[in-house]
Amino acid sequence: MIDVASTRAEVRPAAVAVVVDVLRATSSIVQALSSGYERVLCAASIERARELRAPGRVLAGERRCVPPPDFDLGNSPGGFERPRGSELILATTNGAPALVAATESAERVLVAALLNLDAVTAALAGEEDVLLVCAGTDGRLALEDVYVAGRLALRLPGPRTDAARAAECVAAHYPSPIEALRDSADARALAAVGLQDDLLACARESVIDAVPEAVSGAAGVAVVTENPETLTYANAGRSPLNTLASDP
Amino acid sequence: MIDVASTRAEVRPAAVAVVVDVLRATSSIVQALSSGYERVLCAASIERARELRAPGRVLAGERRCVPPPDFDLGNSPGGFERPRGSELILATTNGAPALVAATESAERVLVAALLNLDAVTAALAGEEDVLLVCAGTDGRLALEDVYVAGRLALRLPGPRTDAARAAECVAAHYPSPIEALRDSADARALAAVGLQDDLLACARESVIDAVPEAVSGAAGVAVVTENPETLTYANAGRSPLNTLASDP
């Protein structure tokens, strides 16, 4: 069954969860991994992100769209085009907690944005139990995430829930991604802090081939990488979870 | 602000909540009050409905689309075209609990279906804080309810949330009500028990002028009537709530 969770409160067990926070967390993650960051550590809170700070790690994220004063970067995809370290710590209001929730419920978690729409579609070939998770905004439905979930649902075969059909209606309604993004409340919130150009960066479709995958890290952290198998350490006692739990 | 709650879990305080369970509870309520029932007592459970049984009261409702064996009627709007008593007790899986939840949160609660779409639209003139509550199905989004909420949202002026915009996309997608209803999972559930004709009864648009209003009754009960002011008894100690609490 193809299903859509319109906010992270609706996350439930599934074979594959696909997390969407197109404005901007998942766009930033896709951009960062494509640009050369090895891993993105998504923290469910600003405090958790600060605890993960360490040499070689770049601290990025936002509260109310802007970065906390002690952070290295905000949450604009353009800020991740050149890696400033090997690992990115990303704390965002909606996307990071949605990723953490998904890794706690689904067997496999992919990270989707418009930037990697074709690549995610290809990665879902043959999957029959897919939950498209819209991060939403402060617990409420975000139009742009439902649009991207609907775009993906329209490309997947097989039976689908009413929630997936509704998302498909949203996707079919907009002639182009930028129109859907511009109609959202988050677009207005970004414009209010001068970040309207982020919409253009996030509206680019299928320009990146990366399909990031998230696994559960330490409490409140999801580890995202293009190659989750690399997270299995030779030393069995030193899982990524343990590594993170003892960091910094 | 015009907003949409896609299930009753999203019900929150608002000046006006408009509850939609077009397949079939709110269609049945609109039909029943238009046909001559004075009040509909919506019970959040089958057990609560049985407790309200009394002379002059008709017991109706469903679990998994069909009436419990001791009930007088099911939940087909056609069953309410001729009143069999002065009051209808209605216990349904999704609509009745949504009404109960709405009366506990909103200042005023209207009951909407396609049957009374024009009348509800007129009743909402000048309202600026409207929450359109989709009853949903077993806690999940029901396409047909989002369709009706979207139809109403499209008719209301002023700012709206992303959830309302998404519902409007669903409404705009379907050329006619029956096409939206037929695309829903609930349509398949009704067809599976031979009740596909209920779709046609519920898809009729603006054929009834009633705008039922719901008020909080005893625990787990919403009282629905066209004239809520009649629920104020001369005897101040005998509010509808007290009346119900001591029933039968």
Side-chain angles (χ1 to χ4, degrees), chain B residues 78-237:
Chain B
F80 306 115
E81 287 176 2
R82 288 184 200 170
R84 297 191 182 191
S86 59
E87 289 188 329
L88 183 68
I89 307 163
L90 187 66
T92 70
T93 313
N94 305 293
L99 277 162
V100 170
T103 58
E104 288 166 354
S105 288
E107 293 170 34
R108 205 168 147 224
V109 178
L110 306 184
V111 177
L114 286 162
L115 295 172
N116 66 342
L117 202 68
D118 281 353
V120 170
T121 307
L124 290 172
E127 296 290 350
E128 292 175 351
D129 178 22
V130 178
L131 179 65
L132 304 165
V133 178
C134 301
T137 302
D138 302 330
R140 309 190 66 187
L141 179 153
L143 187 68
E144 71 277 16
D145 293 339
V146 176
Y147 169 80
V148 175
R151 289 290 309 277
L152 283 166
L154 283 169
R155 293 161 164 222
L156 301 176
R160 60 214 54 236
T161 63
D162 279 13
R165 284 187 195 281
E168 289 175 344
C169 291
V170 173
H173 187 76
Y174 292 99
S176 71
I178 191 68
E179 288 166 273
L181 270 50
R182 280 192 180 132
D183 235 5
S184 71
D186 283 327
R188 296 190 287 281
L190 288 169
V193 293
L195 292 172
Q196 58 277 8
D197 287 353
D198 280 3
L199 258 66
L200 296 171
C202 296
R204 291 174 299 145
E205 190 175 318
S206 302
V207 294
I208 291 177
D209 280 334
V211 181
E213 198 158 335
V215 297
S216 187
V221 179
V223 182
V224 186
T225 167
E226 276 192 85
N227 307 295
E229 65 278 8
T230 64
L231 295 175
T232 308
Y233 289 75
N235 179 342

Side-chain angles (χ1 to χ4, degrees), chain A residues 164-230:
Chain A
R165 283 188 197 280
E168 289 175 345
C169 291
V170 173
H173 187 77
Y174 291 98
S176 72
I178 190 69
E179 288 165 273
L181 269 51
R182 281 194 179 129
D183 235 5
S184 70
D186 283 329
R188 294 190 289 281
L190 288 170
V193 293
L195 293 171
Q196 59 276 6
D197 286 353
D198 280 3
L199 258 67
L200 296 170
C202 295
R204 291 175 298 146
E205 189 176 317
S206 302
V207 294
I208 292 177
D209 280 334
V211 181
E213 198 159 338
V215 298
S216 187
V221 179
V223 182
V224 186
T225 168
E226 275 193 86
N227 307 295
E229 66 277 8
T230 64

Side-chain angles (χ1 to χ4, degrees), chain A:
Chain A
M1 188 68 89
I2 310 302
D3 193 11
V4 170
S6 55
T7 68
R8 71 175 187 268
E10 296 169 17
V11 168
R12 57 164 183 77
V16 187
V18 181
V19 176
V20 179
D21 184 4
V22 66
L23 290 178
R24 300 168 285 166
T26 58
S27 297
S28 289
I29 292 167
V30 169
Q31 181 65 62
L33 291 171
S34 160
S35 302
Y37 284 97
E38 286 171 26
R39 303 201 282 179
V40 181
L41 311 181
C42 293
S45 73
I46 294 286
E47 296 67 34
R48 194 73 187 86
R50 286 194 182 114
E51 291 169 10
L52 297 171
R53 201 168 212 169
R57 286 182 175 169
V58 178
L59 187 57
E62 54 76 31
R63 274 301 174 268
R64 300 175 183 271
C65 300
V66 296
D70 60 318
F71 273 39
D72 304 314
L73 288 167
N75 188 26
S76 294
F80 307 116
E81 287 176 1
R82 288 185 199 169
R84 295 190 183 193
S86 59
E87 289 189 330
L88 182 67
I89 307 163
L90 187 65
T92 70
T93 314
N94 305 291
L99 276 162
V100 171
T103 57
E104 288 166 355
S105 288
E107 293 171 34
R108 204 169 148 223
V109 178
L110 307 184
V111 177
L114 286 162
L115 294 172
N116 67 343
L117 202 68
D118 281 353
V120 171
T121 307
L124 291 172
E127 296 290 349
E128 292 176 351
D129 178 20
V130 178
L131 178 65
L132 304 166
V133 178
C134 301
T137 301
D138 302 330
R140 311 190 64 188
L141 179 153
L143 186 69
E144 71 277 15
D145 293 339
V146 176
Y147 168 81
V148 175
R151 288 290 309 277
L152 282 166
L154 282 169
R155 292 163 165 218
L156 301 176
R160 61 214 53 236
T161 63
D162 279 12
R165 283 188 197 280
E168 289 175 345
C169 291
V170 173
H173 187 77
Y174 291 98
S176 72
I178 190 69
E179 288 165 273
L181 269 51
R182 281 194 179 129
D183 235 5
S184 70
D186 283 329
R188 294 190 289 281
L190 288 170
V193 293
L195 293 171
Q196 59 276 6
D197 286 353
D198 280 3
L199 258 67
L200 296 170
C202 295
R204 291 175 298 146
E205 189 176 317
S206 302
V207 294
I208 292 177
D209 280 334
V211 181
E213 198 159 338
V215 298
S216 187
V221 179
V223 182
V224 186
T225 168
E226 275 193 86
N227 307 295
E229 66 277 8
T230 64
L231 295 175
T232 308
Y233 288 75
N235 179 342
R238 194 168 176 272
S239 73
L241 193 149
N242 293 339
T243 311
L244 288 173
S246 60
D247 277 337

